Amino acid sequence: MQDQDRILSTSELERVVQEVVAATPVTDIHTHLYDARFGELLAWGVDELLTYHYLIAEVMRAEFGRTSPEEFYAMSKKEQADLIWQRLFIGNSPISEACRGPITVLGALGLDVASRDLDEMRQYFADKTPEEYIDQVFELANVKEVVMTNDPFDELEIPVWETGGAGDPRFKAALRLDELVNHWEQTQPILAGRGYDVARDFSGKTCDEVMRFLAEWREKLSPVYMAVSLPDDFAFPADNSQARVIQDAVLPFAAKEDLPFAMMIGVKRGINPRLQMAGDGIMGKADIKAVGYMCANYDDVKFLVTMLSRENQHELCAVARKFPNLMPFGCWWFLNDPSLIDEITRMRIELLGLSFVPQHSDARIVDQLVYKWAHFRNILAKILVEKYGDAMRSGWIPTRAEIRRDVSGLYSDNFWDFVG
Ligand code: RAT
Ligand code: ZN
């Protein structure tokens, strides 16, 4: 051990941890971002930032009785952004986590947030190209690569994959299977129409044909994993089409191709359908037994799992202690708030050491990488200072190199080592 590498005081520890946590680049393992090839699917800039669906839910609370969801969605993007700015940032102090996000981003871009002048801030984005803005944001957020969410049934995405063309190598693909797994009744005829010999009741060649579909999309996308979001009443094994697609096609394919399967468990879609995407949410805790069963019975499959309910977090860690083929990841959606990130990350470190993926951004707008990662880095630094500090008090002397190794694991290497 090099002497100058040893950390001997608490103040030095704090300085080194903060420095490493800020300077280490991140692999963002789940986003809804797209590279410039995807045209209108790529969202960036202040109006997009302000009309994030987390903020739409908040403005609809604030507007209660004034603007209906239908009136809101009939507005142009600029009008929606104006309303959100007016109601949540001017008529109200923007201190919810969703409101804090744009303030962090605009401040980090060097804009004068104190002026509260939205039109002036819009000017900043007016003559930027998406390509140059992506570069700027990746640098500012210190993100080296992001994993997209790619839906093989999305009419806007399909032509991009079919016509090929090299994408931005910083954007990795993930094969999202919500349509296939959760809406078999609707996707079966679509698959049949695309020439796959599939039957609604899974008879005949159906399973082989679904696997052929997965193989063809794997070929097109080179995804780093397959993914699905699942409801809180998800059960496995079970006598329904959702469990059937997973059991007979997705898991055998994952095992055969060594392609990890990510499950995001606990979402209830359309709790308030009038809010459209902003109306999806959570209505209850999921049953961890499904995860335990899968890890035990499919030890040749790697599972990346995040759960939406705070109440599932402890048992997810406990199951992960027993199954190395289970990688807990991220503080998802309603859990992506400082107090909950702090609680969940501490618990994971205490139960799993450094062997998990603590965060993903779920960014839908490029700019969000800046705030989602800045906010997370602050919390992680505090936790690590405390945890290394505990070891130091018993005489363990950490080194800078060890801290760099650990943070690099949490931000990137754990994921890449797991997916292989
Ligand atoms: O966090 C979100 O933006 C949600 O709307 C969902 O997209 C969720 O992250 C998902 O991937 O299903
Ligand atoms: Zn997501």
Side-chain angles (χ1 to χ4, degrees):
M1 190 193 305
Q2 302 243 317
D3 258 11
Q4 74 274 23
D5 216 30
R6 289 151 52 101
I7 294 169
L8 298 167
S9 70
T10 319
S11 57
E12 202 186 346
L13 173 70
E14 236 169 82
R15 198 173 43 72
V16 172
V17 167
Q18 274 161 10
E19 205 177 281
V20 173
V21 160
T24 308
V26 158
T27 298
D28 193 337
I29 81 159
H30 169 59
T31 75
H32 298 263
L33 301 177
Y34 295 89
D35 70 57
R37 275 182 309 166
F38 290 86
E40 63 178 279
L41 286 173
L42 161 63
W44 61 283
V46 69
D47 286 333
E48 295 288 355
L49 201 51
L50 290 174
T51 52
Y52 185 33
H53 72 91
Y54 293 21
L55 285 169
I56 294 178
E58 290 184 21
V59 81
M60 284 293 100
R61 279 185 66 71
E63 281 295 287
F64 184 52
R66 283 184 277 223
T67 307
S68 70
E70 293 72 22
E71 285 162 346
F72 177 81
Y73 283 112
M75 293 174 178
S76 69
K77 173 90 48 192
K78 182 168 176 293
E79 287 166 343
Q80 292 175 351
D82 282 333
L83 179 66
I84 289 177
W85 183 254
Q86 208 42 51
R87 191 64 71 211
L88 297 181
F89 292 76
I90 304 296
N92 171 74
S93 292
I95 58 174
S96 73
E97 181 63 7
C99 284
R100 185 185 160 215
I103 307 248
T104 302
V105 176
L106 298 166
L109 290 170
L111 300 176
D112 177 15
V113 284
S115 77
R116 302 183 183 186
D117 185 338
L118 180 55
D119 282 328
E120 196 179 294
M121 294 190 250
R122 282 184 172 124
Q123 280 313 307
Y124 175 84
F125 298 87
D127 43 40
K128 288 199 180 287
T129 66
E131 287 84 353
E132 70 176 299
Y133 192 59
I134 289 173
D135 289 347
Q136 184 183 352
V137 166
F138 272 54
E139 199 182 315
L140 205 53
N142 199 8
V143 167
K144 59 178 166 176
E145 52 212 352
V146 302
V147 180
M148 305 180 279
T149 295
N150 304 107
D151 175 0
F153 293 96
D154 184 324
E155 296 299 333
L156 292 174
E157 276 196 51
I158 294 171
V160 179
W161 296 114
E162 311 263 82
T163 52
D168 182 329
R170 292 170 298 184
F171 290 72
K172 316 285 180 201
L175 183 54
R176 183 76 176 232
L177 301 178
D178 284 34
E179 293 306 315
L180 184 73
V181 170
N182 295 331
H183 305 288
W184 174 250
E185 285 66 29
Q186 287 88 54
T187 44
Q188 179 269 333
I190 300 175
L191 284 177
R194 289 195 200 169
Y196 298 95
D197 187 0
V198 289
R200 196 181 158 115
D201 65 356
F202 294 94
S203 57
K205 295 187 187 154
T206 304
C207 296
D208 288 343
E209 284 291 276
V210 173
M211 284 174 66
R212 179 164 74 86
F213 167 79
L214 294 173
E216 285 171 6
W217 279 88
R218 185 190 190 174
E219 187 66 28
K220 285 193 222 283
L221 269 63
S222 306
V224 288
Y225 58 75
M226 297 182 284
V228 70
S229 74
L230 295 161
D232 59 45
D233 60 1
F234 172 64
F236 190 91
D239 185 18
N240 57 42
S241 57
Q242 188 181 53
R244 192 78 200 266
V245 178
I246 293 177
Q247 180 182 300
D248 293 349
V250 177
L251 293 177
F253 185 77
K256 183 166 144 273
E257 299 288 325
D258 192 23
L259 186 61
F261 184 41
M263 295 189 290
M264 310 179 67
I265 308 173
V267 51
K268 179 147 178 61
R269 302 285 172 194
I271 289 176
N272 183 349
R274 293 176 69 197
L275 296 185
Q276 302 184 14
M277 194 203 291
D280 293 347
I282 176 168
M283 280 297 217
K285 173 181 185 287
D287 189 347
I288 192 73
K289 287 191 200 71
V291 177
Y293 180 93
M294 284 165 129
C295 293
N297 289 279
Y298 296 86
D299 60 1
D300 49 356
V301 175
K302 296 176 202 163
F303 297 95
L304 287 148
V305 175
T306 198
M307 298 183 87
L308 195 51
S309 168
R310 182 186 187 183
E311 283 65 37
N312 280 126
Q313 302 309 315
H314 182 257
E315 52 199 21
L316 178 62
C317 288
V319 174
R321 287 179 65 85
K322 309 299 155 190
F323 295 105
N325 59 331
L326 170 57
M327 178 64 83
F329 77 94
C331 300
W332 182 23
W333 203 342
F334 311 105
L335 299 173
N336 195 359
D337 296 307
S339 60
L340 297 171
I341 297 169
D342 183 77
E343 167 184 303
I344 294 167
T345 308
R346 273 171 205 281
M347 179 165 63
R348 287 174 174 169
I349 290 182
E350 287 158 14
L351 280 162
L352 300 170
L354 294 154
S355 69
F356 63 101
V357 176
Q359 191 57 313
H360 67 270
S361 74
D362 236 308
R364 287 177 179 270
I365 296 116
V366 175
D367 322 40
Q368 291 174 331
L369 292 174
V370 174
Y371 91 78
K372 301 238 187 191
W373 285 106
H375 293 185
F376 174 70
R377 285 180 207 262
N378 279 339
I379 302 163
L380 182 67
K382 270 192 224 133
I383 298 172
L384 289 180
V385 166
E386 198 183 296
K387 297 297 176 195
Y388 289 121
D390 289 342
M392 275 170 83
R393 272 185 291 282
S394 304
W396 182 266
I397 300 174
T399 69
R400 285 180 174 72
E402 286 166 348
I403 294 176
R404 277 197 293 271
R405 172 203 62 200
D406 295 348
V407 173
S408 186
L410 291 171
Y411 281 3
S412 183
D413 302 344
N414 291 352
F415 172 71
W416 288 117
D417 289 348
F418 186 74
V419 302

